[in-house]
Amino acid sequence: MKPKIGIIQVRGIGDAVIAMPIAQYYKNTHDAEVFFALDDRFCDDFTEVFGSFCKFIPVPYSSFVPSDGINNEYWYELPKNMLENAGCKEIISFPYHETHLLSKINENVRQNFPYGQLMKRLNGPYESRVTNLGLFNHLKFDEYKYATAMVPFSEKWNLHLNSTKIFERGPALLNKVTENLNGRKLVLCHLEGSDAKIDASGLNIPEDTHLIVEIKPGIAESIFDWIYVAMTSDMIICIDSFYANLFDQTQQLFGYPDKHFIKRSSIFMTPVLNTKWNYVGVN
């Protein structure tokens, strides 16, 4: 019987796409059955393109309680229970934020509420190893994920996906968003991250020669359908976000045009980019 390995990644779909090659690696090199706990709002889209190498466990976003902060059971305890119920004997999580927070707390206080709950999140074999090595002080958050899972970081750019539906639906999406192209160059933008939003007017792109198309919810049937539009664009501009990660990790698969990156986080929370990006500022 194949071993069942669970992965917890509910903190954001940008983090999820960063972690997908880890699931792929365990499926291919460990001959494992991989279960991936993910925000239930995105499980259908992820299953369509990544379902060949892992099964997604939908963690109900309705259970998220913002006022609980980092102690929210949605981040760890709930998905861990769901993965255990699915039969996973090994579970990998990535407690980067917990480790940073606890490193600043006096050891005598760590066992008290609310820190005791966070300490338990570091007890797993993967988590305790990376914590004991103190790697959170030396690695960016995406490097930390791969170090925790003991997967070569180069695998981040070995991401494979099923693009059948993307190419089936892509032409209709492209036609929909370029109705007013009229010979102008197409600029595809994603300008909103989890905690930041950029106004397109701040990009200073002349609209008489360029059509700016913003990636927004509700336009495409799947969040991955924008890959088709990106392939046919003249320029891509992304804030540090899900789409910046997706386009960076699939550059070799789809050959995107010029890509421009807008930073929004500290050095430790900015992902490592391995393909050509131009770094741009915004007015």
Side-chain angles (χ1 to χ4, degrees):
M1 182 179 294
K2 293 184 178 181
K4 292 185 176 182
I5 295 177
I7 296 175
I8 298 175
Q9 187 58 83
V10 293
R11 289 185 186 271
I13 54 173
D15 288 76
V17 78
I18 287 172
M20 286 315 306
I22 295 175
Q24 179 181 279
Y25 183 87
Y26 272 88
K27 168 69 166 60
N28 294 337
T29 64
H30 292 63
D31 193 28
E33 191 175 358
V34 181
F35 294 78
F36 198 107
L38 180 69
D39 182 332
D40 65 345
R41 297 173 296 173
F42 304 102
C43 281
D44 288 345
D45 288 359
F46 270 74
T47 297
E48 187 176 83
V49 295
F50 300 124
S52 63
F53 56 81
C54 70
K55 179 178 180 180
F56 291 94
I57 302 297
V59 182
Y61 186 72
S62 59
S63 65
F64 178 70
V65 182
S67 60
D68 287 350
I70 197 171
N71 286 85
N72 202 316
E73 292 190 356
Y74 173 84
W75 296 134
Y76 178 77
E77 289 77 13
L78 175 59
K80 180 176 183 287
N81 288 337
M82 296 176 74
L83 289 170
E84 288 175 340
N85 289 338
C88 296
K89 301 301 182 184
E90 293 184 52
I91 296 176
I92 306 170
S93 67
F94 311 107
Y96 193 67
H97 297 283
E98 288 89 341
T99 308
H100 270 279
L101 175 60
L102 289 168
S103 69
K104 302 173 184 178
I105 305 300
N106 183 285
E107 190 168 347
N108 294 326
V109 180
R110 290 182 186 178
Q111 303 303 325
N112 301 327
F113 180 84
Y115 305 113
Q117 177 186 358
L118 304 186
M119 288 292 295
K120 292 179 180 178
R121 295 180 184 179
L122 310 183
N123 288 341
Y126 294 92
E127 295 80 4
S128 60
R129 170 187 165 274
V130 76
T131 301
N132 291 338
L133 289 171
L135 296 184
F136 69 94
N137 276 322
H138 303 279
L139 301 176
K140 289 191 170 191
F141 79 102
D142 52 347
E143 295 173 310
Y144 177 89
K145 294 182 192 298
Y146 283 76
T148 300
M150 294 184 285
V151 173
F153 188 53
S154 58
E155 288 294 319
K156 179 183 172 184
W157 294 275
N158 190 28
L159 180 63
H160 296 284
L161 53 81
N162 182 346
S163 59
T164 302
K165 293 294 184 180
I166 295 172
F167 280 87
E168 287 180 3
R169 295 187 297 254
L173 175 61
L174 179 63
N175 291 335
K176 179 180 179 180
V177 299
T178 58
E179 287 181 339
N180 300 315
L181 187 60
N182 297 327
R184 293 178 290 175
K185 291 187 176 182
L186 175 59
V187 182
L188 181 65
C189 299
H190 184 237
L191 303 177
E192 186 170 358
S194 59
D195 60 0
K197 185 176 181 180
I198 303 297
D199 192 308
S201 63
L203 300 175
N204 295 323
I205 297 176
E207 294 187 18
D208 59 331
T209 55
H210 297 78
L211 173 65
I212 297 176
V213 172
E214 289 192 58
I215 298 176
K216 293 183 176 180
I219 299 176
E221 185 172 335
S222 165
I223 57 177
F224 294 99
D225 288 353
W226 289 104
I227 285 175
Y228 189 90
V229 180
M231 291 170 54
T232 56
S233 300
D234 297 290
M235 183 190 304
I236 297 171
I237 302 175
C238 288
I239 193 170
D240 177 4
S241 65
F242 165 73
Y243 283 101
N245 291 313
L246 178 65
F247 296 151
D248 189 64
Q249 290 177 250
T250 58
Q251 175 71 44
Q252 293 184 350
L253 294 177
F254 300 111
Y256 305 113
D258 289 342
K259 304 192 303 296
H260 302 262
F261 184 85
I262 302 171
K263 66 185 188 305
R264 68 178 174 94
S265 303
S266 68
I267 183 172
F268 285 109
M269 295 306 297
T270 299
V272 176
L273 302 175
N274 196 43
T275 62
K276 183 179 179 181
W277 290 84
N278 297 306
Y279 290 81
V280 296
V282 178
N283 294 334

